[in-house]
Each structure stands twice: as C-alpha cells, then as structure tokens.
Amino acid sequence: MMIKETSLRRDPDLRGELAFLARGCDFVLPSRFKKRLKSFQQAQIQNKPEKKPGTPLPSPATFSSSPQPHSPIAAVNNVVSAPLSINIPRFYFPEGLPDTCSNHEQTLNRIEAAFMDIEDQKADIYEMGKIAKVCGCPLYWKAPMFRAAGGEKTGFVSAQSFIAMWRRLLNNHHDDASKFICLLAKPGHSSLEQEDFVPLLQDVVDTHPGLTFLKDAPEFHSRYITTVIQRVFYTVNRSWSGKITSTEIRKSNFLQTLALLEEEEDINQITDYFSYEHFYVIYCKFWELDSDHDLYISQADLSRYNDQASSNRIIERIFSGAVTRGKTVQKEGRMSYADFVWFLISEEDKRNPTSIEYWFRCMDVDGDGVLSMYELEYFYEEQCERMEAMGIEPLPFHDLLCQMLDLVKPACDGKITLRDLKRCRMAHIFYDTFFNLEKYLDHEQRDPFAVQKDVENDGPEPSDWDKFAAEEYETLVAEESAQAQFQEGSFEDYETDEATPPSELGNKSSKIVTSSISEQCGKLQSVDEE
C-alpha cells in the first residue's frame, strides 16, 4: 500500500504512531519509510526553540502545528474545580440555633446574685431548684445541673464551679434539647442511655408532692423509675438504638411533660411517662405472671397473659430477640420487667407507632423488611387451630388474605411493608387477626361502620393505652378494696428497717397505692380504716 508524503505530513497521529513503531523495530518498516521518518524527526529538532535560562517551558500547544481536538475530560475538570458559592447560609445546627440577641453575661450575673443569697454560696440539691429557675430552666432540671457541676462528689455546688459550667453550656449549646443532653449524659457522650435518667427520676420520686407516699416504700423506687425510663425510650427513641439523641428529644414531648411536673401536683394527671397509676397497672400485670417473684418471667409465664390470648408463635418470636435486647432473653429464656413494659404497651395499644414497629419485627421472620404471604400464613395457621378447638369455623386463608390486602392496600402486590401498615391506620386489626384470637373475634363481631368511624376520627381522644390503664386501675383498686375489708394491714410494716420479702411485696404494693391515692387525690377510701 502506497502512502503519499502529503498524507503523512498532514496526519500527525499517523506520524506519531509510525515513529513509535520505528523505535527498536527497524526491520519492520521499509527503507523508504525510515528515510521519511528520519527527515521528519530532524526537521522537528531544528524547529524546536532553544530554552533560555530562567524562561518556563512552552505550553504543549506550541509543539503542534495543527489544532488539537477539544478534550471532554478537561471540560469536566474545569467544572469540578470551579469554586463553590460562598453565599449558602448554614442550615444544620446540631446544638441548636444560636441566639445572637441573648446576653449570657446578664444571665451569669443573675446566677451569681442568686448564690449570694445562699449560705456560704454553696447550694445543695434542694437549693439548686432556685438556681434552675434563675437559669430559665424547669424545676426538675435541678438534679442534672447539680451533677454536671460536680455536686454529687461534694454534696454541694459552689457559685464558682456552677458559673464556669453554665458558661460553657451557654457557649456550646443553644437550645433546651442540646442543654438537657449535655447536663444528663456522661462526659464526652452526645446521647442519653437508660442509666443516665436515674438521678433525674430519683429526684422526682424524692420531691414531687404526688409521690410523697413512696418515701415509706423505697423498694418501689427502682421499679417506678424503671417503668418511667422504659416508657421514655418507648416513645422518644424512635431509632431503636438504645440511645436518645438531641434530635429525638426535640421531636418528642418529653421536655414539655417534664416541665408540667412543676405545675401539676397530681402526678396521675400526667399520663405520659410519669403516671403512678400506669406504673401500678404494669407492675401488677407483671406480678401476676411472675409466679416465683424473681422479677423475670418465662415464655410459659408470658403465654398466660390475658388468658392465653396471644399465640405461641408470636411469643416465640418475642423471646427470639426480635424486639428484646440482652443475652438473658435469648440464652436463659427469661424476660425482664423492663422488656415486659414494652410488651404490655405494644399489646394494648397497637395503633402506637412504636407498637406497629414492635409487632412488625416479630412477624418479619426472615428479617427482610417485608411481610410475605408465607409469613402471614405461618401465623394464621395457629389461629385456625385454636378456633377449630373452640368449635369456630375459621375463614380460609385465601379469603382472609384478600380481606387483609384490601385493608392494608400495600404499594407492592403480595408484599406488606412497615410503611404500608402505618399508612393504612388499621394495623391493630391486622395484627390481632394473626396472633391475638380474643381481639380478632371482637373485631369480627364489631360493626364495620364503627371501625371506619374510629379511623376517620382525628380528635384528641385518649390513646388505647390510656383507656386500658384507666380501666385496669379501677378494676385493681376495686379488687384490693374488697380484699382489704377482710384483712388487717397498715403502713407500719414499711417503717421497719428489715428488707421486705418478695412474696410479701406484691400484696403490700396494692395497699400502698390504694392508700396513697386516697390521701393524695381523695378518690378512694383508705384501706386502713378500722
């Protein structure tokens, strides 16, 4: 093939490729090509400008006599290397939005003046309440403030140490949620664990007027505190991480509810988190199941709840670790009182977002985030067996499945997700159908128009849990009042220093609550009247 000299001269790419092949490969090219390449290379050397000392190398464009094609890579690099806009304002404030109008020095001066009114300018845990109000914080922030300023070690807080601590807090944390986390969390931590709430709640038990009767029953302090902590994490810790962040605190009503404790003397009116009546109902339900009173219940004990209303398969899933933490449940097959709090609230209020997540985790056997038709049939089989044992003809699974799909209306056919159950607002009926026979039969006998009316009603009605706790408390108090008429009992037993045996603790708890509520609220007749 003949290549004209003009084409070789006009095609730099071809010249470069041939020159590359010529290196070390002289035997490949014919002699006429070698002559032309040699003359071309000599011409390039003669035309190359000499480099003067101190002058930079010419740009690559000067070595090419023909225009180079535009490189798309260079264009991309130019876009990436362009400077970002500096006019974008900051929009993420993990420690709260700073208030430029606030004067921290005035606040610190007021705190210093408040310490001047305290003897030796040293405040104990009770006087810290005045300091909390001066700081603009709710009364029951006093215990976290006291601990954060080092009062737990010395028994008091000096003005100097508190002002130094509060100055750091004001400079680094700008809203209530961030300040609360900083005061209550361990040093160096930015989230709250369960044990971090103990000092705060112990102060509530010791000082709230609605809990004065508990001073005579210190053995119930830890159990009330455990109940409140579990209810806080049940509602606030939406990530199920076991650690409450400032973002979760901001999205919850916990700080507002904590501030209400200062205004409301009857703690039972604060149904969120702190109600003693709710604690009494939970603890009595647990005590009935805990036959050996070791504060742990087995799988067989839990199956006895509400006359074995829940299926064995769903209870097995609870003890499998799907919704419980710790090795005690999985290895020893025992559930603690803290885990029982989660179970009871989830069982009695399946409309709650946490409850929907709780039971979804239990029914999602393979953990793929979707309830398949196989998993639904797995749980419904036991329901059918129990209905047949009761002489009730169960609905075939295919027909039931059509009803449930119409109820939930999943986005993807044949797959029910957590989002689907939350969106349909009928998750309580869905769950009861597959593992709670008693409530399933109640739903079947109820007017469907009444069910639809409940769904459409968006009014501020009490939750299912509040209704259940109120009804159960009245029932428990009525039973205790009837038994107390035939028994002798007084609070003098609690004045001794001897530890109360667990077997006697359950009976005395009912007497304490019945008498305390009658004293505080005037609703019940004292069981100690002779």
Side-chain angles (χ1 to χ4, degrees):
M1 178 179 179
M2 298 296 293
I3 300 178
K4 294 182 179 180
E5 185 177 357
T6 55
S7 64
L8 180 64
R9 187 180 300 116
R10 293 178 181 178
D11 192 347
D13 294 335
L14 181 59
R15 292 198 307 265
E17 185 176 355
L18 292 175
F20 177 77
L21 292 174
R23 298 170 190 165
C25 303
D26 294 343
F27 62 90
V28 175
L29 297 176
S31 60
R32 63 179 179 273
F33 280 156
K34 287 190 278 186
K35 292 179 181 180
R36 293 176 182 177
L37 286 173
K38 187 174 182 180
S39 61
F40 171 75
Q41 293 173 354
Q42 291 176 354
Q44 290 288 348
I45 295 173
Q46 292 176 359
N47 295 332
K48 183 176 181 181
E50 295 182 0
K51 179 181 178 183
K52 298 181 180 180
T55 60
L57 289 174
S59 61
T62 60
F63 291 96
S64 177
S65 59
S66 60
Q68 296 293 329
H70 181 70
S71 175
I73 299 179
V76 174
N77 292 337
N78 291 337
V79 174
V80 174
S81 61
L84 297 176
S85 175
I86 60 175
N87 296 325
I88 299 177
R90 182 182 176 184
F91 57 87
Y92 177 60
F93 299 91
E95 304 300 334
L97 183 64
D99 186 4
T100 57
C101 300
S102 60
N103 192 338
H104 297 335
E105 292 301 326
Q106 291 183 359
T107 303
L108 296 175
N109 291 336
R110 290 196 299 267
I111 295 174
E112 186 176 2
F115 269 96
M116 295 293 293
D117 298 334
I118 301 176
E119 185 179 358
D120 297 333
Q121 297 186 16
K122 295 179 180 179
D124 57 15
I125 183 63
Y126 301 104
E127 293 170 328
M128 188 56 63
K130 302 177 183 178
I131 306 300
K133 301 305 295 182
V134 173
C135 295
C137 300
L139 175 65
Y140 284 99
W141 283 39
K142 61 180 186 293
M145 289 179 174
F146 185 77
R147 289 172 56 87
E152 185 182 15
K153 299 178 181 178
T154 60
F156 62 86
V157 172
S158 64
Q160 183 179 3
S161 61
F162 183 84
I163 292 175
M165 181 274 296
W166 198 250
R167 186 188 299 275
R168 292 192 303 269
L169 190 75
L170 294 177
N171 292 334
N172 300 321
H173 306 278
H174 310 293
D175 67 345
D176 289 344
S178 176
K179 293 175 183 176
F180 184 79
I181 294 286
C182 180
L183 290 173
L184 215 60
K186 301 179 182 68
H189 290 68
S190 59
S191 59
L192 296 178
E193 299 178 353
Q194 294 190 7
E195 58 268 20
D196 296 331
F197 284 87
V198 174
L200 167 67
L201 298 178
Q202 185 63 55
D203 180 54
V204 173
V205 171
D206 294 337
T207 60
H208 194 277
L211 296 173
T212 52
F213 58 89
L214 279 182
K215 293 180 179 179
D216 296 328
E219 61 271 19
F220 284 100
H221 290 188
S222 62
R223 297 168 200 181
Y224 172 78
I225 290 173
T226 300
T227 306
V228 176
I229 290 175
Q230 298 309 315
R231 294 191 65 187
V232 170
F233 274 78
Y234 186 91
T235 305
V236 179
N237 188 208
R238 303 298 301 120
S239 63
W240 287 67
S241 63
K243 297 180 180 180
I244 295 178
T245 62
S246 58
T247 301
E248 291 175 330
I249 287 285
R250 292 186 189 101
K251 293 182 179 180
S252 70
N253 66 339
F254 177 74
L255 293 182
Q256 294 84 344
T257 307
L258 183 64
L260 288 178
L261 292 176
E262 180 182 355
E263 304 173 2
E264 181 59 60
E265 293 187 0
D266 184 5
I267 201 168
N268 295 311
Q269 297 298 322
I270 306 177
T271 55
D272 291 339
Y273 315 115
F274 297 99
S275 172
Y276 190 84
E277 293 181 358
H278 288 196
F279 155 70
Y280 183 57
V281 170
I282 297 172
Y283 187 72
C284 286
K285 291 294 181 182
F286 180 81
W287 191 262
E288 293 174 359
L289 301 177
D290 186 16
S291 55
D292 54 1
H293 302 312
D294 61 347
L295 297 181
Y296 285 94
I297 57 176
S298 64
Q299 186 171 326
D301 294 332
L302 187 62
S303 64
R304 293 189 289 107
Y305 175 74
N306 200 14
D307 295 331
Q308 297 182 342
S310 299
S311 67
N312 292 326
R313 292 184 178 181
I314 200 68
I315 293 178
E316 289 176 359
R317 287 292 299 156
I318 294 174
F319 278 80
S320 69
V323 289
T324 53
R325 298 185 180 92
K327 300 179 181 179
T328 304
V329 177
Q330 287 78 28
K331 290 187 176 181
E332 302 180 11
R334 300 191 305 165
M335 173 183 286
S336 66
Y337 173 69
D339 291 326
F340 179 79
V341 175
W342 283 63
F343 163 79
L344 186 61
I345 299 177
S346 300
E347 170 61 27
E348 301 301 337
D349 187 2
K350 294 187 175 70
R351 305 173 196 258
N352 188 293
T354 305
S355 176
I356 297 175
E357 297 168 5
Y358 185 97
W359 295 118
F360 186 89
R361 287 173 174 238
C362 290
M363 292 190 67
D364 186 14
V365 178
D366 54 7
D368 62 349
V370 174
L371 298 185
S372 64
M373 303 304 101
Y374 165 77
E375 289 166 332
L376 299 184
E377 186 177 12
Y378 171 75
F379 287 100
Y380 187 65
E381 283 178 353
E382 185 175 355
Q383 295 286 76
C384 292
E385 295 173 359
R386 299 177 68 184
M387 283 188 283
E388 291 174 353
M390 297 171 60
I392 302 175
E393 183 179 357
L395 191 68
F397 176 72
H398 181 270
D399 297 337
L400 178 89
L401 184 60
C402 293
Q403 291 184 0
M404 292 297 103
L405 294 178
D406 290 340
L407 183 76
V408 178
K409 296 180 176 61
C412 182
D413 294 338
K415 296 180 180 180
I416 297 177
T417 63
L418 181 62
R419 183 190 298 271
D420 296 330
L421 290 172
K422 288 185 175 181
R423 185 183 63 249
C424 75
R425 303 175 62 184
M426 304 286 280
H428 59 293
I429 297 179
F430 176 85
Y431 286 137
D432 289 334
T433 301
F434 290 101
F435 54 78
N436 192 304
L437 183 58
E438 181 180 349
K439 293 184 179 181
Y440 167 63
L441 296 177
D442 290 341
H443 293 315
E444 288 293 306
Q445 298 173 1
R446 192 178 181 188
D447 184 6
F449 295 100
V451 175
Q452 185 66 24
K453 184 178 179 181
D454 291 344
V455 173
E456 296 175 353
N457 188 6
D458 294 330
E461 292 188 358
S463 65
D464 290 347
W465 166 251
D466 291 335
K467 296 177 183 177
F468 168 80
E471 295 173 0
E472 288 297 321
Y473 181 76
E474 292 180 1
T475 302
L476 291 170
V477 169
E479 292 176 356
E480 290 299 326
S481 298
Q483 294 178 6
Q485 295 179 0
F486 304 99
Q487 296 177 356
E488 296 181 358
S490 67
F491 294 136
E492 295 178 357
D493 297 336
Y494 293 100
E495 297 178 357
T496 61
D497 295 334
E498 298 180 358
T500 306
S503 60
E504 301 177 5
L505 207 53
N507 296 331
K508 292 185 177 180
S509 66
S510 303
K511 300 176 183 178
I512 290 176
V513 174
T514 305
S515 179
S516 64
I517 296 301
S518 65
E519 293 176 2
Q520 299 297 328
C521 307
K523 296 180 180 179
L524 304 173
Q525 183 179 2
S526 175
V527 300
D528 295 328
E529 293 180 357
E530 295 293 335

